[in-house]
Amino acid sequence: MLELSHIHKYYNTGTVNEMCLFNDFSLSIGEGQFVSVVGSNGSGKTSMLNLICGSIPLDAGAVRIGGQDITHMPEYKRQRRIGRVYQNPAMGTCPSMTILENMSLADNKGKPFNLRRGTNKQRIEYYREQLSRLGLGLEDKLNVKVGVLSGGQRQAMALLMSTMTPIEFLILDEHTAALDPKTADIIMELTDKVVKEKHLTTIMVTHNLRYAVEYGNRLIMMHQGHAIMDKADEEKQQLQIEQILDKFNEISIECGN
């Protein structure tokens, strides 16, 4: 289980631009849940992911995984338990390295660095097998530099690489936003497949309401650092895009827009 307990987060503290994003915010995500998070810009979606991953510090409160307090655990140590795929396909892979080198790098995440070959030849067939499951023909391009691949191919690789080593949570930070609609659909299908096969607890921030409704078993809408909608299981299955749009319109009116 992932727990955010009584979270407080301020930006630009002590200046005229000081802003309180989270004020006593709490959230629990159960093991095996696939949570879609929606909300307008500035609602706290990505900041919540950054707090979970340790990319930004808390001002108060606690973050726990499986009952263990990781509030003060550095980001690089959390990455051993958390996989993350970013909006920008370039952030999850190294463009100047080959597919094989990228796969090897991901395969060794969390392991001690020693003076040895960067690529274990005994693992090459395993990498081919994993890449072939993506259905993009990447298994035949092991020596091609990742920088020449399409955005969709790189995002598929980033998804695969983030889940190669055992992790407890998968964080998807608008990971289809930079892709064309057809490629985005392919990546979402791959995402759903990986999550189910590996039984991953997943948090997906998205602006695509169709994906938010179709995928996962829980939906949360954020607004000004609060969860103003939280639907899970059967309630989530019955949720329609129109209901989410109505909530967005209601918020817009309340904010004077």
Side-chain angles (χ1 to χ4, degrees), residues 20-21 35 47 83 99 111 114 121 146 181 191 201 233 243 246:
C20 177
L21 180 57
V35 184
S47 290
I99 291 177
K111 297 178 183 178
N114 298 308
K121 292 183 178 180
V146 170
T191 299
T201 303
D233 301 322
Q243 293 173 267
D246 287 344

Side-chain angles (χ1 to χ4, degrees), residues 5-242:
S5 300
H6 305 290
I7 299 298
H8 292 259
K9 180 61 187 176
Y10 291 80
Y11 287 105
N12 305 314
T13 306
T15 73
V16 294
N17 296 317
E18 180 174 311
M19 181 189 73
C20 177
L21 180 57
F22 291 111
N23 182 18
D24 199 29
F25 175 71
S26 295
L27 179 69
S28 294
I29 295 175
E31 185 176 350
Q33 284 193 324
F34 183 164
V35 184
S36 298
V37 181
V38 299
S40 57
N41 292 332
S43 61
K45 305 184 302 299
T46 296
S47 290
M48 180 177 68
L49 299 187
N50 286 331
L51 291 171
I52 293 170
C53 294
S55 304
I56 57 175
L58 293 175
D59 292 317
V63 180
R64 299 183 183 89
I65 291 182
Q68 178 188 1
D69 191 330
I70 64 167
T71 307
H72 302 293
M73 181 183 289
E75 184 176 12
Y76 75 92
K77 287 188 177 180
R78 297 191 199 192
Q79 288 179 353
R80 297 172 185 173
R81 307 175 70 174
I82 300 172
R84 186 171 184 175
V85 184
Y86 297 86
Q87 177 178 340
N88 184 352
M91 292 186 68
T93 55
C94 182
S96 62
M97 298 172 68
T98 66
I99 291 177
L100 177 59
E101 290 167 339
N102 271 267
M103 293 291 285
S104 182
L105 195 65
D107 196 19
N108 287 282
K109 184 178 79 170
K111 297 178 183 178
F113 289 94
N114 298 308
L115 291 175
R116 62 176 186 269
R117 286 185 175 273
T119 303
N120 184 347
K121 292 183 178 180
Q122 295 178 347
R123 297 287 284 173
I124 291 178
E125 284 308 312
Y126 171 73
Y127 300 153
R128 287 187 194 277
E129 177 190 341
Q130 294 297 305
L131 289 165
S132 67
R133 298 172 71 183
L134 299 177
L136 300 174
L138 297 176
E139 66 275 12
D140 299 321
K141 300 178 180 179
L142 289 180
N143 295 316
V144 172
K145 289 191 175 182
V146 170
V148 304
L149 301 179
S150 69
Q153 289 174 320
R154 292 180 70 170
Q155 203 67 314
M157 271 198 66
L159 177 64
L160 177 60
M161 289 166 60
S162 68
T163 58
M164 280 186 68
T165 55
I167 57 172
E168 297 171 55
F169 289 90
L170 177 62
I171 302 293
L172 305 170
D173 189 1
E174 298 186 49
H175 71 309
T176 63
L179 307 175
D180 64 82
K182 182 179 179 180
T183 305
D185 284 345
I186 292 172
I187 296 301
M188 274 309 308
E189 290 171 7
L190 287 172
T191 299
D192 194 49
K193 180 181 177 182
V194 168
V195 168
K196 289 177 178 176
E197 286 182 352
K198 296 181 179 286
H199 308 289
L200 295 173
T201 303
T202 304
I203 306 172
M204 177 180 73
V205 165
T206 181
H207 283 292
N208 189 310
L209 299 186
R210 179 169 66 85
Y211 293 159
V213 169
E214 289 183 6
Y215 293 95
N217 50 23
R218 184 176 175 186
L219 184 144
I220 294 173
M221 179 184 284
M222 300 289 295
H223 178 60
Q224 296 181 347
H226 298 281
I228 60 169
M229 178 187 288
D230 192 344
K231 305 288 185 181
D233 301 322
E234 188 175 339
E235 274 193 314
K236 163 70 163 56
Q237 292 176 10
Q238 295 175 355
L239 193 63
Q240 302 294 318
I241 292 177
E242 289 74 18

